[in-house]
Amino acid sequence: MATTQEQKATPNILNNTTTTTSSWADPLRNRPSVATVISAVDSFSDPPPNTTSTTKGIPVMTRAQTCHPLDPLSAAEISVAVATVRAAGATPEVRDSMRFVEVVLVEPDKQVVALADAYFFPPFQPSLLPRTKGGPLIPTKLPPRKARLVVYNKRSNETSIWIVELREVHAATRGGHHRGKVISSEVVPNVQPPMDAVEYAECEAAVKDFPPFREAMKRRGIEDMDLVMVDAWCVGYHSEADAPSRRLAKPLIFCRTESDCPMENGYARPVEGIHILVDMQNMEILEFEDRKLIPLPPADPLRNYTSGETRGGVDRSDVKPLQIIQPEGPSFRVNGHFIQWQKWNFRIGFTPREGLVIYSVAYIDGSRGRRPVAHRLSFVEMVVPYGDPNDPHYRKNAFDAGEDGLGKNAHSLKKGCDCLGYIKYFDAHFTNFNGGVETIENCVCLHEEDHGILWKHQDWRTGLAEVRRSRRLTVSFICTVANYEYGFFWHFYQDGKIEAEVKLTGILSLGALQPGESRKYGTTIAPGLYAPVHQHFFVARMDMAVDCKPGEAFNQVVEVDVKIEEPGKNNVHNNAFYAEEKLLKSESEAMRDCNPLSARHWIVRNTRTVNRTGQLTGYKLVPGSNCLPMAGSEAKFLRRAAFLKHNLWVTPYVPGEMHPGGEFPNQNPRVGEGLATWVQKNRSLEEADIVLWYVFGITHIPRLEDWPVMPVERIGFMLMVFHSKLAYFIAILSVQK
C-alpha cells in the first residue's frame, strides 16, 4: 500500500506518502518483555542523532523515522525482498523456477510497535510503555523491517517460506543492487499456495488450445475461441485424488455471444457437461470428458449490465443530482498511514490476502487520555459453499482469501468508487507471480459520511427539541473474485461504535438447464438458466486490547443472554426479564453461536479498569443477521472450514495464529487445520490478550431481481462501547446541528 491522494469529487487536493503491503507476526518468535525489546533494539543503533528534545526528562527524537513498523511494504522493499530470495537460489534452474505468491511485512511484536509510537512517531506517546526505575533507555533506531515471502517452485512443485531482513532498501535502484539478508527459509511439505492471476490466464489459454475441447465447443455451435471464458477454480479437497502432490484446477466454462462487446456478461451462458482437470504446474490437461450435451442458454436481451439503450430499454432520467460538499475540507487528518478523526486514531495497512487491515485502534477520552480498543482488525477468510449436489456445482466451495487473496483482487477505485465528498486514497503494492511489483492505485478509500440522526429529544411540556446529526469515518476497499464483488468497510462513529460491514454485489454463478428442466437447488432466472442456492461466510479476526497497553493481558469475554424470570414471588406480574452474564473461561467454553431469541451478545471487558460506578469497562460485540452452514456435518468442504461450525471463537493471542483454516487451504487434506485445532489446547481466557474470531454469513436464495447484476446486500456487526463512558457527549453536545 502506498502513495495517497485526497480528492473532492474529482479535483486533487493533496498528495501524500509512499509505502505498501502489510501482513502478520513472525510465528517463530516468542513475545519478549518491553525491557528486552528496548535493549535489543538499541543493539541496532547508529550513533545518536545530534538533535533531540526532552519531554519530562525523557529524550525524544525530534524527527520521526520514515517507515513505521506497521507501514505496509513499499515497492522498493518488495523488490529488495524478491531479489534477495532469488539471489539465494542454489542454481540458475532454481532461480528461474521461483514464482512469488506473496510478499508481506513481518509484523513486529506489539512491544516494538509501542516503542515506535512512544518515541519515534508522532503523536509521541511515552505513556504506552511502563515506567522503569531511572527512566527507559531510549534506542536511536528501530530494528530493521522484515518481509515474509511465500515462494512456489514451478519446477519441483514445492512451496517455501522465506524471511528476509530489509536493510538499505534505497539501494535497490542502483542497477539491481540490494541490501537484504535471508534470515530463514523452509520448505513446507504437502501444501499448495494460493492461485495467481498469471496461472489463471495460462490455464485459459491451455484449455482453449486443447483439440478435444475445441471439438466439444464445436458440438455446441462455438468455433470462435475468443468468445470462450475459462475460469480456473481450485479443486478443493474431496478425496486423495485432490492431494496437494499435484497443483490442480477444475475450470468452469462460459461463452459470450459477441466478440466485439467487451462489456458483455459472459457469465450468462454457462457451458455444462464438460469435465476438465488441469495440471496447473505444467499447464497440461490431465482429464477431459464431454459427458453431456446441454444446449447453451439462449442470448438473454437482459443479460448485460451496460446502459439501458443497449438492452432494449432506457435508463432512469428522473433522478436529480445529489451533491456532497465539504467546503472547509474533511475533519480527518492523515500522516502517512496514521489517521486521526473525532477522538479516534488508528493506522491502516493492506495485505494481499486480507486486504485492508486496521491497527492500533484507540480513543482519546478527555482527561483519561488514550484508551486502546484493538490492536488489529481484519477479515481473514471467506468461504462460499454452494448447495446444488450436481456436477460441477457441488465442488464450488471457494476460499476467496486463502485460495485467491482478497487484497490481490482489489480494485483501483479510479474505475468507480462508491464514496462521495473529500476522499483520501491509498495505493497498494504487490508482487506478481514472476516477482515484479504491481501497484493498485486508489485501492483504499477514506472518507466521512453523514449518517442521519445521532440523537434527538423533544420535551413535550416545553415543546423544545434538541437533535444532533451523526458523522462517521469510513475506510474501505472493493475486490472482484471471478463473478462476485465484495466491498469491505470499517465505520468509526462519534459515540465510540465501530461497525464492520460487507457489501455483496456482482454476478451470480450460474448453471444451464435442459429445455423444460427446473432445479430444486436453485432459481430459474432466464430461459435455460438457473442460479444455485449458496452461502457467503466471512471471518473477522479482532485482536482486542480494551483499555490495555501493549504487553498487558487484562481482557476477558462474557456472554450475555436475556432471561425470562420464572413465575413466582419475584415475578408476580409475569413481566420480568433480565440480562445474565456468563464468563467464558476457556477456549472450549468460548465456541458459541448467535441466538437472537435471547438477544445474545458478547462483551470484551478489562478486568482491572472500572468506570465511575465501579463497573468493569468493555466493548460489546453485537451480531447482525447471521447463519450457520446449511450443509450436513460430513460435507467435504467442512474438512477445511471447520471454523464455520460456530459464529464465535475466542483464543488468547499467539503470534502466527492468523488464518482460521490454516495458511494453505488450497487442496488441504488435513481435517480441521487452524482454529478448530488451536482451541483443542483449551487455553485459559479468564484474563488474557483476547482475540475474537467472528464468523458471519448470508444464505442466498437467488431472485429474478438479482439478474443480471445483484443489487448490494449488506451484512456485518457492531463493536459498541459498554460501561466505558467515553467522554463523547462533551463533543456531541457542541456539534453543529
Side-chain angles (χ1 to χ4, degrees):
M1 166 171 264
T3 50
T4 58
Q5 348 175 347
E6 260 178 44
Q7 294 185 355
K8 174 188 175 184
T10 51
N12 287 333
I13 302 301
L14 84 101
N15 293 320
N16 241 13
T17 56
T18 339
T19 22
T20 325
T21 1
S22 84
S23 185
W24 41 302
D26 185 346
L28 304 177
R29 294 176 298 180
N30 295 319
R31 292 161 55 195
S33 66
V34 173
T36 305
V37 170
I38 289 178
S39 116
V41 168
D42 202 44
S43 67
F44 291 98
S45 299
D46 292 327
N50 295 327
T51 54
T52 59
S53 65
T54 302
T55 303
K56 295 183 179 179
I58 300 174
V60 177
M61 294 179 60
T62 56
R63 182 172 57 85
Q65 294 192 352
T66 55
C67 278
H68 187 277
L70 292 176
D71 280 352
L73 293 179
S74 67
E77 287 176 313
I78 293 173
S79 295
V80 166
V82 168
T84 302
V85 169
R86 185 171 272 142
T91 65
E93 291 76 16
V94 169
R95 294 191 287 273
D96 290 344
S97 62
M98 285 180 172
R99 298 296 181 268
F100 294 86
V101 178
E102 185 177 276
V103 182
V104 294
L105 175 74
V106 173
E107 293 179 10
D109 293 296
K110 296 178 181 180
Q111 290 84 356
V112 172
V113 175
L115 183 65
D117 289 337
Y119 299 114
F120 287 84
F121 291 88
F124 301 105
Q125 303 167 79
S127 62
L128 286 171
L129 296 178
R131 294 181 179 179
T132 56
K133 188 175 181 179
L137 174 64
I138 308 303
T140 58
K141 193 174 182 181
L142 291 170
R145 283 155 59 88
K146 297 177 183 176
R148 186 180 190 273
L149 299 88
V150 177
V151 180
Y152 174 67
N153 188 304
K154 194 167 176 63
R155 183 183 297 270
S156 66
N157 194 36
E158 290 180 331
T159 299
S160 56
I161 295 176
W162 299 68
I163 305 296
V164 172
E165 182 181 280
L166 303 168
R167 293 185 175 181
E168 295 182 23
V169 172
H170 60 83
T173 59
R174 300 175 191 163
H177 177 65
H178 61 273
R179 286 293 301 275
K181 177 183 177 182
V182 174
I183 301 299
S184 66
S185 67
E186 64 170 326
V187 173
V188 184
N190 207 28
V191 301
Q192 283 293 340
M195 294 290 187
D196 186 86
V198 170
E199 293 179 290
Y200 290 149
E202 291 176 351
C203 176
E204 181 172 70
V207 170
K208 287 183 179 183
D209 287 342
F210 190 58
F213 175 76
R214 299 173 75 96
E215 189 63 31
M217 293 305 297
K218 188 181 293 186
R219 290 180 62 201
R220 291 160 174 82
I222 304 298
E223 297 191 38
D224 183 358
M225 287 296 108
D226 288 341
L227 298 176
V228 177
M229 299 163 46
V230 180
D231 280 11
W233 280 55
C234 298
V235 298
Y237 188 87
H238 293 259
S239 68
E240 184 59 29
D242 300 326
S245 56
R246 302 182 296 173
R247 188 164 174 80
L248 303 174
K250 286 194 173 181
L252 299 179
I253 312 299
F254 304 89
C255 187
R256 304 197 314 274
T257 61
E258 305 171 71
S259 59
D260 59 348
C261 181
M263 290 295 289
E264 182 184 358
N265 178 9
Y267 291 111
R269 301 182 78 206
V271 180
E272 293 213 5
I274 297 178
H275 165 82
I276 311 173
L277 180 67
V278 180
D279 175 350
M280 299 292 281
Q281 177 189 0
N282 302 301
M283 288 302 157
E284 296 177 353
I285 311 302
L286 299 177
E287 297 176 10
F288 180 87
E289 185 179 356
D290 191 354
R291 294 175 173 174
K292 190 176 183 180
L293 182 59
I294 298 176
L296 285 172
D300 182 356
L302 301 179
R303 70 189 181 280
N304 292 338
Y305 43 91
T306 49
S307 61
E309 291 80 0
T310 66
R311 297 184 292 118
V314 294
D315 291 334
R316 293 185 180 185
S317 60
D318 57 348
V319 179
K320 305 299 183 184
L322 175 63
Q323 296 182 341
I324 306 298
I325 60 172
Q326 294 177 268
E328 298 180 17
S331 301
F332 56 77
R333 291 186 293 168
V334 178
N335 183 359
H337 293 84
F338 183 67
I339 315 298
Q340 293 173 292
W341 177 83
Q342 289 289 289
K343 301 183 181 295
W344 285 108
N345 60 66
F346 55 88
R347 291 188 174 275
I348 64 171
F350 204 86
T351 77
R353 183 170 184 146
E354 303 157 279
L356 179 63
V357 180
I358 309 292
Y359 297 106
S360 304
V361 181
Y363 192 94
I364 306 303
D365 187 18
S367 61
R368 298 189 66 169
R370 182 184 187 274
R371 300 184 66 181
V373 176
H375 176 70
R376 192 182 195 277
L377 307 172
S378 69
F379 295 96
V380 289
E381 190 56 274
M382 62 170 290
V383 184
V384 187
Y386 280 71
D388 187 339
N390 296 289
D391 189 40
H393 307 289
Y394 77 93
R395 279 187 170 270
K396 290 157 67 173
N397 305 295
F399 285 63
D400 286 337
E403 291 178 340
D404 276 292
L406 302 178
K408 289 180 76 170
N409 286 286
H411 295 181
S412 168
L413 296 176
K414 283 185 172 181
K415 300 178 180 179
C417 182
D418 68 341
C419 309
L420 299 173
Y422 276 82
I423 301 170
K424 181 75 166 182
Y425 288 113
F426 298 82
D427 297 349
H429 297 309
F430 306 100
T431 178
N432 60 31
F433 208 40
N434 296 314
V437 179
E438 297 184 357
T439 298
I440 301 176
E441 296 182 338
N442 291 17
C443 184
V444 172
C445 172
L446 173 72
H447 74 293
E448 294 175 286
E449 295 178 343
D450 179 88
H451 196 61
I453 294 176
L454 176 61
W455 64 266
K456 179 180 181 178
H457 180 67
Q458 178 171 314
D459 189 317
W460 66 270
R461 291 181 174 85
T462 65
L464 298 177
E466 286 289 329
V467 63
R468 299 290 184 272
R469 294 202 67 78
S470 176
R471 184 83 61 90
R472 71 182 184 184
L473 183 70
T474 296
V475 196
S476 63
F477 81 103
I478 301 174
C479 68
T480 298
V481 186
N483 52 295
Y484 256 107
E485 264 76 19
Y486 301 97
F488 296 89
F489 299 77
W490 291 95
H491 304 292
F492 294 83
Y493 291 83
Q494 292 167 303
D495 61 353
K497 290 196 303 286
I498 303 171
E499 180 183 11
E501 182 182 35
V502 179
K503 297 180 182 179
L504 300 81
T505 181
I507 300 173
L508 297 167
S509 182
L510 306 172
L513 297 172
Q514 295 276 18
E517 182 188 9
S518 63
R519 285 280 176 92
K520 176 180 181 181
Y521 307 102
T523 302
T524 301
I525 59 171
L529 199 60
Y530 86 107
V533 296
H534 57 282
Q535 295 180 289
H536 299 261
F537 289 99
F538 306 88
V539 184
R541 179 185 180 274
M542 295 169 279
D543 183 354
M544 302 300 291
V546 177
D547 277 331
C548 284
K549 294 179 180 179
E552 295 180 344
F554 301 148
N555 283 175
Q556 61 182 201
V557 180
V558 295
E559 181 174 89
V560 181
D561 285 291
V562 174
K563 301 285 187 178
I564 298 174
E565 185 68 81
E566 294 293 334
K569 64 178 182 178
N570 293 329
N571 189 17
V572 295
H573 303 292
N574 286 322
N575 68 315
F577 60 90
Y578 59 97
E580 181 178 82
E581 292 185 358
K582 176 187 176 183
L583 175 63
L584 303 180
K585 297 180 180 180
S586 65
E587 290 175 298
S588 62
E589 293 183 16
M591 296 183 287
R592 309 301 298 162
D593 296 324
C594 297
N595 184 0
L597 297 180
S598 66
R600 178 173 292 169
H601 57 274
W602 299 276
I603 302 171
V604 180
R605 65 187 184 191
N606 188 292
T607 58
R608 305 192 184 192
T609 305
V610 296
N611 60 21
R612 63 179 180 175
T613 62
Q615 298 161 304
L616 296 175
T617 62
Y619 255 79
K620 70 176 181 178
L621 169 58
V622 182
S625 60
N626 209 334
C627 61
L628 289 169
M630 295 295 181
S633 60
E634 299 302 313
K636 297 294 186 182
F637 77 90
L638 288 176
R639 292 171 53 100
R640 300 186 294 146
F643 54 87
L644 297 183
K645 294 180 180 180
H646 295 287
N647 296 127
L648 181 75
W649 307 71
V650 186
T651 61
Y653 170 76
V654 173
E657 290 189 358
M658 286 295 301
H659 307 295
E663 182 174 8
F664 301 107
N666 185 16
Q667 296 178 240
N668 186 359
R670 295 167 290 281
V671 179
E673 188 170 41
L675 191 52
T677 298
W678 301 332
V679 300
Q680 291 176 10
K681 302 171 188 175
N682 203 25
R683 295 165 290 193
S684 173
L685 301 173
E686 292 191 62
E687 191 173 60
D689 188 350
I690 292 294
V691 178
L692 299 179
W693 309 76
Y694 183 63
V695 182
F696 60 105
I698 185 172
T699 301
H700 193 182
I701 310 299
R703 315 166 298 159
L704 293 181
E705 292 76 12
D706 293 333
W707 182 247
V709 180
M710 187 182 80
V712 166
E713 295 197 37
R714 295 171 171 85
I715 54 174
F717 60 91
M718 283 279 192
L719 289 170
M720 300 180 68
V721 184
F722 188 81
H723 286 338
S724 295
K725 196 57 180 176
L726 300 177
Y728 71 91
F729 273 111
I730 298 173
I732 289 172
L733 287 172
S734 62
V735 168
Q736 183 178 358
K737 300 177 185 178

